[in-house]
Amino acid sequence: MALSKIAALSTLLASATMVAGHGYVSSIVANGKNHTGYLVNEYAYSDSPPKSIGWSTTATDLGFEDGTQLSDPDIICHRDGKNGALSADVKAGSDIDIQWTEWPESHHGPVITYLASCNGDCSSVDKTKLEFFKIDAVGLIDGSNVPGNWGTDKLIKAGNRWTVTIPDSIAAGEYVMRHEIIALHSAGTKDQAQFYPQCLNLKVTGGGSDKPDGTLGEKLYTDTDKGILVDIYSSLSNYVMPGPKLYSA
Ligand SMILES: *[C@@H]1O[C@H](CO)[C@@H](O)[C@H](O)[C@H]1NC(C)=O
Ligand SMILES: [Cu+2]
């Protein structure tokens, strides 16, 4: 075998081992209805994938963005993220259940959810113009046993599921929900935190009049934020959640 082939094969094997067990959002339930997400390991190989509320991505390795990509458009809705064609109706003030396919226990870190108004139709909005406000974030729940009990551990325990409440104070309209896990198992080294953003379109009904200020996706984090460059194996007593502060009505 040519050397280059051996190299390619071993890279493939290494990455196959590395990504075993990473997940993605395969569905959500909103207003009692189950909506299929962008099934990346099927749709990315299809010539005519079904329309979805989930944004498409080419991250078929189920991989991540790293700390060098925090001002790259790929951080917004994952690798080559492109608008979902559909959106899920949801009443303001109600809960959304979010189903991940799986999550590796070792990949501890926060689970964070943002919304950004599309100011119109999310199926055609320019993602680089979306301004995200944070509606939910769970980081370190209990740091007593290193590396601690994290949002990801809660997610796994719930069956790789997460529940988030859509604020009842926000104005009706279409929003991109950016739901993200940040895996911190290697984050003690600069740029080694792993970002797994997932985008899904919502159409919020009811609600109030709030139009919260938000932050562009490419401005959410820097690679030296306290919650991004952090060694979770040094007993932490608290964790500083990265990104803009939590929205409250
Ligand atoms: C949607 O339905 C699928 C298939 O029954 C199920 O596995 C999944 O958990 C449901 N999604 C949610 C968020 O409950
Ligand atoms: Cu991994």
Side-chain angles (χ1 to χ4, degrees), residues 135-169:
I135 59 164
D136 181 61
V138 177
L140 185 63
I141 296 165
D142 176 4
S144 53
N145 284 319
V146 171
N149 181 26
W150 291 83
T152 48
D153 299 294
K154 181 180 172 182
L155 177 139
I156 293 168
K157 215 167 156 192
N160 302 314
R161 291 165 72 84
W162 198 261
T163 300
V164 60
T165 305
I166 301 303
D168 59 8
S169 47

Side-chain angles (χ1 to χ4, degrees), residues 8-142:
L9 186 65
S10 57
T11 309
L12 191 74
L13 287 173
S15 59
T17 320
M18 193 190 77
V19 300
H22 291 169
Y24 63 91
V25 171
S26 51
S27 64
I28 68 167
V29 167
N31 283 4
K33 187 171 175 220
N34 188 316
H35 300 263
T36 305
Y38 183 79
L39 304 180
V40 60
N41 54 358
E42 292 177 29
Y43 295 178
Y45 300 104
S46 165
D47 290 336
S48 53
K51 289 181 177 172
S52 173
I53 62 164
W55 283 50
S56 69
T57 164
T58 57
T60 50
D61 61 353
L62 308 185
F64 51 86
E65 307 304 316
D66 67 27
T68 66
Q69 292 163 297
L70 296 176
S71 50
D72 184 299
D74 282 354
I75 196 65
I76 306 171
C77 292
H78 216 329
R79 201 177 309 155
D80 304 318
K82 292 203 172 58
N83 307 53
L86 307 178
S87 37
D89 285 345
V90 60
K91 273 201 212 71
S94 72
D95 287 351
I96 292 189
D97 293 325
I98 301 167
Q99 180 73 60
W100 286 75
T101 51
E102 54 185 332
W103 195 254
E105 199 263 323
S106 62
H107 288 31
H108 304 281
V111 180
I112 310 177
T113 307
Y114 299 89
L115 293 178
S117 169
C118 294
N119 293 312
D121 193 343
C122 290
S123 67
S124 58
V125 74
D126 175 353
K127 66 183 177 183
T128 65
K129 304 259 160 50
L130 290 170
E131 296 186 12
F132 294 94
F133 57 96
K134 190 188 268 161
I135 59 164
D136 181 61
V138 177
L140 185 63
I141 296 165
D142 176 4

